[in-house]
Amino acid sequence: MSDIQSKATHCYTLHEAKSKTSALLAPLCQKYNLIASWQDNVLHFHGMGIQGSVAVCEQQVQVSVMLSALLKMFQDKIQHEIDLHLKQVFVEVAC
């Protein structure tokens, strides 16, 4: 089971949503030394003490993250950062 789950709705095409997801994760990969790769419509990522995925669907993006015991101490902060980035990239607008 995931330690962190978050989601955002969107009105983009699947291609646009995948592009925005890549743009969302790129600076985080650089900042936290994460490795990411696409498998169909799911962007998988992992790094020291963290692994997760971002599933891109036609109207929603779903983030699932598993944390090591050490990082679980920062779970609330990580959850907040994920939610903040999702809101910045996938601004909820009327579809």
Side-chain angles (χ1 to χ4, degrees), residues 2-3 5 10 19 23-27 41 43 45 49 57-59 63-65 68 79 89 91:
S2 298
D3 297 312
Q5 292 188 348
H10 67 82
S19 293
L24 165 72
L25 205 55
N41 293 331
L43 181 58
F45 60 90
C57 303
E58 288 186 22
Q59 296 178 345
V63 179
S64 297
V65 179
S68 68
Q79 174 83 52
V89 173
V91 177

Side-chain angles (χ1 to χ4, degrees), residues 74-87:
F74 303 102
Q75 183 172 341
D76 291 340
K77 182 178 179 180
I78 295 168
Q79 174 83 52
H80 177 73
E81 188 168 351
I82 289 170
D83 292 341
L84 181 65
H85 284 286
L86 278 177
K87 286 178 184 175

Side-chain angles (χ1 to χ4, degrees), residues 23-35:
L24 165 72
L25 205 55
L28 297 174
C29 285
Q30 188 171 27
K31 182 177 180 180
Y32 297 111
N33 200 25
L34 302 175
I35 298 170

